Amino acid sequence: MLFQIFDAFKPRLHDSNSKVNQVALESMHKMIPLLKDNLSPVINMLIPAMVDNNLNSKNPGIYAAATNVLQALCQHVDNSLLLQPFCTKAQFLNGKAKQDLTEKLA
């Protein structure tokens, strides 16, 4: 069930419409404290969708929402579940996104 929900939700996290994208990130920020470690089956799918373009976005609303999502993940999800997906993404990112994710890893 969780896979079906997030399979449908994931494309909104990098929607070409910036308002849709921002609302999806803000919604994800609200979901994380509720779902916590129950996100573990979908975390490898969600982190790339949340991070890829959003942390390098020139839109301040999208960038702020993306950093809030990262912060919520670090606060509410077991760090051992985040280590591998964060390391994998940090290898291939550039710019501000790489810096932000590397700081979270540290």
Side-chain angles (χ1 to χ4, degrees):
M1 179 72 167
L2 197 63
F3 279 107
Q4 292 170 325
I5 292 168
F6 283 102
D7 274 344
F9 183 73
K10 181 182 143 189
R12 304 295 69 85
L13 291 168
H14 46 81
D15 198 282
S16 59
N17 182 324
S18 61
K19 290 179 184 176
V20 171
N21 189 354
Q22 185 172 340
V23 169
L25 287 165
E26 290 167 354
S27 299
M28 193 68 225
H29 180 251
K30 293 175 186 173
M31 285 188 268
I32 292 168
L34 301 172
L35 295 172
K36 298 183 181 181
D37 291 342
N38 293 320
L39 286 170
S40 64
V42 294
I43 205 83
N44 288 328
M45 168 182 68
L46 286 177
I47 288 177
M50 291 184 275
V51 168
D52 279 345
N53 296 321
N54 299 321
L55 282 179
N56 276 330
S57 178
K58 292 183 184 355
N59 180 320
I62 290 174
Y63 175 75
T67 56
N68 287 340
V69 166
L70 276 182
Q71 186 64 34
L73 283 169
C74 292
Q75 285 179 339
H76 299 287
V77 177
D78 183 1
N79 288 341
S80 65
L81 296 172
L82 300 174
L83 185 60
Q84 183 61 46
F86 277 13
C87 285
T88 303
K89 285 311 303 173
Q91 288 176 5
F92 301 105
L93 290 172
N94 55 34
K96 194 157 178 59
K98 185 172 191 125
Q99 178 183 346
D100 290 341
L101 206 53
T102 304
E103 285 175 11
K104 291 297 179 198
L105 279 167

